[in-house]
Amino acid sequence: EIITFKDKALAIDNTLKKWGNVNFHVVCHSTGCGLGTFLAKNNVRNCKSLILISPWNKKDDDFISLQNRRIENARKLDSISFLKSEYKLLYTTEYIKKFEIEFCNYISIQKNKKIDYSLIHNRLQTILNCNIGKELNKLELPKLLINADDDKLMKKHHGQELNKTCKNSKLISLKSGGHMLTETRAKD
């Protein structure tokens, strides 16, 4: 069963209600941008700003093809090959080389684990089914969009399009960092 970002945001809303009328800011990355968007949409009065790191706008042919290839890789590749393909997509070559030992250690720990195809499929299908650009356009709150020129997954045109079409938004495009900016550019 595919659970939508809207459904996930409703579950978080229930938790927020326990705290009462509290103001908050949402910082989200990649897939979390869908969740953060619906959380902000459901809490227009209390959500004061939205920071989207490596967001997508809407699906296009390249985006669909890329996500479908990831789903297919989860189905047919062994765990080591799948992880290596994901690393190449999410991280820059320089970052992988810099942390080669750590990446290799993680792969060796995961080598005997089976990739959960249905989990990957459902997670990525949720992204493909969500046009967050359409939802973000309806939100008046301040939005900061952050992406990287060398992101191979959520390519920079997604952030550029969102910045053009969204009210009250600002875009920061970093020259490098790949998709995993929260890790690769954390000190910046």
Side-chain angles (χ1 to χ4, degrees), residues 80-158:
I80 291 174
S81 299
F82 176 73
L83 288 172
K84 286 181 178 179
S85 72
E86 287 291 292
Y87 290 159
K88 287 179 185 172
L89 182 63
L90 300 173
Y91 296 96
T92 63
T93 305
E94 297 79 23
Y95 192 82
I96 293 171
K97 285 179 187 172
K98 181 177 179 180
F99 293 100
E100 185 175 5
I101 292 170
E102 290 83 355
F103 281 108
C104 289
N105 287 342
Y106 184 76
I107 285 175
S108 70
I109 291 168
Q110 301 297 318
K111 70 180 175 189
N112 294 323
K113 294 184 180 177
K114 186 171 171 16
I115 300 298
D116 186 341
Y117 164 77
S118 62
L119 180 73
I120 304 277
H121 172 269
N122 290 348
R123 185 173 58 85
L124 297 180
Q125 198 58 54
T126 300
I127 294 170
L128 289 173
N129 292 343
C130 180
N131 179 344
I132 65 169
K134 183 175 118 182
E135 300 300 331
L136 285 169
N137 286 330
K138 300 173 191 173
L139 296 174
E140 297 287 335
L141 77 164
K143 293 169 277 308
L144 175 61
L145 311 162
I146 304 171
N147 64 10
D149 291 347
D150 60 354
D151 187 338
K152 295 175 241 167
L153 181 57
M154 307 299 190
K155 296 183 178 161
K156 68 179 184 178
H157 71 269
H158 290 282

Side-chain angles (χ1 to χ4, degrees), residues 159-175:
Q160 291 167 338
E161 290 167 3
L162 286 171
N163 191 48
K164 283 180 191 170
T165 59
C166 288
K167 302 170 215 142
N168 205 6
S169 68
K170 179 180 179 180
L171 172 65
I172 297 174
S173 288
L174 304 171
K175 292 206 181 301

